[in-house]
Amino acid sequence: MYLSKEVKAEIFKKHGGDAKNTGSTEGQIALFTYRIEHLSQHLKKNRKDFNTERSLVKLVGKRRSLLDYLIKTDIVRYREIIKELGIRK
């Protein structure tokens, strides 16, 4: 499986402050970004996998809503997470 417990814990430790802090906004955004990148690579190989495409669009929407929340509450944290993950080009 591409997303094991160790990978999740590492993502949350790096972006959420602690491996057990799974509710942090930055950690969730980082996790969604990791999953979005994985699904994007899958769709490059399997163009007709429409269920995966739908899942990808839903994930992007969830990440967008979390980013909108973060920009409203703390613009500094928003800018840091965008820079770390390289979401904006």
Side-chain angles (χ1 to χ4, degrees):
M1 186 171 176
Y2 77 98
L3 193 59
S4 63
K5 287 183 180 181
E6 293 81 20
V7 173
K8 268 189 181 181
E10 181 181 327
I11 289 172
F12 282 114
K13 185 177 180 182
K14 183 176 179 185
H15 297 285
D18 184 31
K20 295 182 180 180
N21 189 7
T22 58
S24 68
T25 308
E26 291 92 344
Q28 289 183 9
I29 291 170
L31 181 67
F32 287 158
T33 302
Y34 180 83
R35 291 174 64 193
I36 287 168
E37 290 170 0
H38 176 75
L39 290 178
S40 297
Q41 293 299 320
H42 173 78
L43 282 174
K44 286 180 183 176
K45 297 175 189 170
N46 306 295
R47 293 178 181 244
K48 294 188 177 184
D49 190 354
F50 299 114
N51 289 326
T52 301
E53 185 177 354
R54 182 173 186 267
S55 299
L56 177 64
V57 170
K58 289 180 79 169
L59 271 179
V60 170
K62 285 181 181 182
R63 182 179 72 179
R64 179 75 255 162
S65 65
L66 281 173
L67 286 169
D68 289 342
Y69 165 76
L70 195 58
I71 202 170
K72 286 179 196 173
T73 56
D74 193 355
I75 189 75
V76 175
R77 287 171 44 201
Y78 171 81
R79 289 181 181 150
E80 288 174 2
I81 195 75
I82 291 297
K83 189 183 293 185
E84 282 181 28
L85 297 175
I87 295 174
R88 302 284 172 260
K89 294 188 179 182

